[in-house]
Amino acid sequence: MAVYIDINRCIGCRSCEVACQRVHGGHGHINVHYVREYAAVPVLCHHCQEAGCTMVCFTGALYKEGERTAFDVEKCTGCGLCALACPFGVVWTDKIAHKCDLCQGREEGPACIATCPANALSDDFDLATRRARERAARTAAVGGKR
Amino acid sequence: MIRVDTRVCLGCLSCSNVCPSQNITRSEIDGKRAVHWKRCKEECDLCVELCPAKALSLVPWDETTHETELSFDLAACRICGLPYATEPMLQRIESALPAEMQKDASGLEWIRICPVCRRNVEAEGTARQVVLARRKNKS
């Protein structure tokens, strides 16, 4: 599982950032980026199948647990190698590493998904592509106008 | 006392972070990172155990040895030009990751780019897809 983003829906309100910070004691792991006036893009951990951060972590603090890239704070020394090994720049260190843990231990699942008022975030891999197909179908049905 | 193998030290912040008595200090000024190992009498070996490069070892107390200080030039990001990591750390990443991971789909060597710029590249790339899709819908 990971958090999937439908940026056609993102309104750039940053509610996800606040929700993440609330759950993680002020240290948020999701960042909304604004690309000029075109789009708002929440940037967060992809939970890569072959995760660079886990490959360079020498204490085993970062490890794969199923689809999740999990983090054991007890083992982290804050060396900063993981932050440099992340292609997306979404792991950062400040004495210890900080990264998305998909709100481990939170029964309702990730707080960012629950909070997003525009339903732009989900843990359903098929949802974004299904919506894209539906949009395309609607466009075709009304003759190119939406 | 801590002995530092200056040839293998990465200049990361591991030892300084884990030292319970703040005997290892660091500073970052003008694109340089300096790490300073004070002469310590502790028998604790946390820093030795938790050094990713195995650069540290404990040696018997000796008053005549000097305190060790290492200075690293921080590599500059290829996009924004700001210093962000020591060269040995980047080389360690390059040797640990498989070659096909070290360039993204557009051939960008992302390891030489700072994490802040990596996030921007990621956001720009994702946004481009949306803008293209919107254009298609309008035409």
Side-chain angles (χ1 to χ4, degrees):
Chain A
M1 187 183 108
V3 176
Y4 300 101
I5 305 160
D6 183 351
I7 60 166
N8 281 301
R9 289 187 169 230
C10 179
I11 55 174
C13 68
R14 301 194 131 157
S15 297
C16 50
E17 288 186 6
V18 180
C20 185
Q21 286 169 13
R22 199 172 59 232
V23 173
H24 297 100
H27 293 285
H29 313 134
I30 183 167
N31 264 297
V32 179
H33 281 241
Y34 300 94
V35 181
R36 291 176 293 280
E37 71 270 34
Y38 299 135
V41 186
V43 175
L44 80 165
C45 177
H46 291 219
H47 294 271
C48 306
Q49 256 176 6
E50 290 181 37
C53 56
T54 64
M55 292 176 196
V56 298
C57 182
F58 71 104
T59 59
L62 283 159
Y63 57 99
K64 288 303 288 184
E65 187 185 72
E67 288 183 26
R68 203 162 63 97
T69 305
F71 175 59
D72 182 353
V73 64
E74 294 291 320
K75 288 184 179 165
C76 180
T77 68
C79 67
L81 287 170
C82 52
L84 296 175
C86 174
F88 310 105
V90 290
V91 185
W92 50 280
T93 42
D94 163 27
K95 294 268 185 183
I96 55 158
H98 296 274
K99 78 172 284 298
C100 166
D101 61 351
L102 293 171
C103 290
Q104 188 181 13
R106 191 175 180 275
E107 271 178 31
E108 306 91 323
C112 53
I113 296 180
T115 301
C116 179
N119 286 328
L121 301 174
S122 85
D123 56 4
D124 181 358
F125 176 72
D126 293 323
L127 187 64
T129 51
R130 196 162 65 234
R131 280 178 184 158
R133 286 198 301 277
E134 282 170 4
R135 270 196 293 271
R138 263 201 307 276
T139 310
V142 294
K145 288 177 193 158
R146 291 214 288 172
Chain B
M1 268 180 50
I2 311 165
R3 179 161 54 202
V4 187
D5 188 340
T6 52
R7 291 163 307 166
V8 293
C9 174
L10 297 175
C12 78
L13 303 170
S14 214
C15 55
S16 155
N17 279 338
V18 298
C19 179
S21 25
Q22 277 88 51
N23 277 329
I24 307 167
T25 58
R26 80 247 193 157
S27 61
E28 267 177 40
I29 314 165
D30 295 336
K32 276 182 194 286
R33 176 184 291 169
V35 188
H36 185 100
W37 290 267
K38 293 181 191 165
R39 283 184 296 182
C40 95
K41 283 182 173 170
E42 313 282 338
E43 286 188 7
C44 134
D45 65 347
L46 265 181
C47 57
V48 176
E49 289 294 315
L50 294 172
C51 172
K54 302 252 172 290
L56 305 179
S57 51
L58 285 190
V59 293
W61 170 256
D62 179 2
E63 249 173 44
T64 56
T65 41
H66 291 284
E67 299 195 338
T68 318
E69 177 158 311
L70 276 182
S71 175
F72 295 87
D73 287 326
L74 293 177
C77 167
R78 283 196 187 160
I79 292 181
C80 68
L82 292 177
Y84 73 104
T86 68
E87 188 58 37
M89 283 179 87
L90 293 179
Q91 283 169 9
R92 167 132 172 165
I93 305 288
E94 283 166 342
S95 63
L97 297 187
E100 66 271 18
M101 257 183 79
Q102 299 192 14
K103 283 185 183 178
D104 75 357
S106 63
L108 186 75
E109 289 173 13
W110 55 266
I111 294 176
R112 297 286 162 176
I113 292 170
C114 75
V116 177
C117 289
R118 290 179 200 173
R119 287 198 290 274
N120 289 333
V121 168
E122 155 93 337
E124 294 254 348
T126 318
R128 205 169 300 131
Q129 296 166 13
V130 177
V131 175
L132 286 177
R134 277 183 202 153
R135 277 198 199 127
K136 219 187 271 173
N137 283 334
K138 272 183 193 159
S139 60

